[in-house]
Amino acid sequence: MSSEEEMSQTSSASSSSSNLSTSHFIGKKEDIVKAGRVTKLVNGCRDVLVVHHQGQLYAMDVHCYHSGGALQYGDIEEFNGQLCIVCPWHKYKITLAEGESLYQAVDDPTAKPLRTYWRSKGVKQRVHKVTEVNGDVYVTLNDSGEAIESDVYQTEKYRRASVKAKPKAKPKT
């Protein structure tokens, strides 16, 4: 472990005792790494997806801001140098780190060949802070007072709907 990682671990550990009231235990890091993704109802009010990808942990609201798609089933891909989760319902691309929605834009649709580039719609998905302390993973909910589109899907109505919509396991052949 580098001294920078040790400092990060130490600062996380020292601040964790004062933040335990706002930090919520998600699970053991080794279990999350093995699973790749976990979902959890945090603080009785927020469905959160925690993703382990390329050695990093990310947390965001589990339902896509666009139509409530289950992001835990989305692929992770890189667009314009940013890691994104791709909603399995409508292929919306959401950055893991910031919760920005990315799309391909065209300056001049009459120009041939078309030249596209990636643009941001801004932050649409609420992301949350992930902290690791001694192998335990905690999430601190983003309590920004500003409304974010994914907030719409943080109700009991959508929790019940997502339980019904879980994909069935494929039979082994």
Side-chain angles (χ1 to χ4, degrees):
M1 182 181 293
S2 72
S3 60
E4 189 174 345
E5 288 173 322
E6 285 176 358
M7 288 176 65
S8 172
Q9 291 283 339
T10 304
S11 66
S12 295
S14 63
S15 65
S16 69
S17 57
S18 63
N19 287 337
L20 285 180
S21 61
T22 58
S23 294
H24 305 278
F25 178 73
I26 301 299
K28 293 287 190 186
K29 181 178 181 183
E30 64 187 61
D31 296 333
I32 295 169
V33 168
K34 187 183 290 186
R37 308 164 188 212
V38 297
T39 61
K40 189 152 189 165
L41 178 62
V42 175
N43 203 30
C45 66
R46 197 125 204 135
D47 291 305
V48 173
L49 168 64
V50 177
V51 175
H52 178 265
H53 187 75
Q54 296 179 344
Q56 290 285 106
L57 290 165
Y58 304 91
M60 63 177 46
D61 287 353
V62 73
H63 300 289
C64 177
Y65 76 91
H66 170 247
S67 288
L71 292 177
Q72 70 265 35
Y73 303 115
D75 292 331
I76 296 177
E77 299 180 34
E78 188 175 309
F79 298 95
N80 202 35
Q82 298 182 77
L83 285 174
C84 296
I85 193 156
V86 180
C87 180
W89 286 9
H90 301 107
K91 307 304 180 208
Y92 277 57
K93 289 129 183 83
I94 302 164
T95 63
L96 290 174
E98 307 294 332
E100 283 183 282
S101 178
L102 300 182
Y103 69 99
Q104 279 191 302
V106 177
D107 276 335
D108 182 359
T110 62
K112 302 294 180 213
L114 277 180
R115 294 191 182 207
T116 62
Y117 57 96
W118 290 100
R119 300 248 350 218
S120 171
K121 294 180 188 177
V123 173
K124 303 289 185 178
Q125 192 75 22
R126 190 173 294 273
V127 295
H128 308 284
K129 181 180 176 187
V130 181
T131 308
E132 181 199 352
V133 180
N134 300 323
D136 292 337
V137 175
Y138 297 87
V139 165
T140 303
L141 294 177
N142 173 343
D143 61 359
S144 160
E146 184 179 326
I148 297 176
E149 280 84 341
S150 65
D151 294 346
V152 170
Y153 297 99
Q154 292 297 325
T155 65
E156 192 61 36
K157 171 184 172 184
Y158 291 102
R159 267 184 215 104
R160 285 193 306 271
S162 69
V163 168
K164 292 177 190 172
K166 283 187 179 176
K168 294 180 181 168
K170 295 178 183 176
K172 292 182 181 177
T173 55

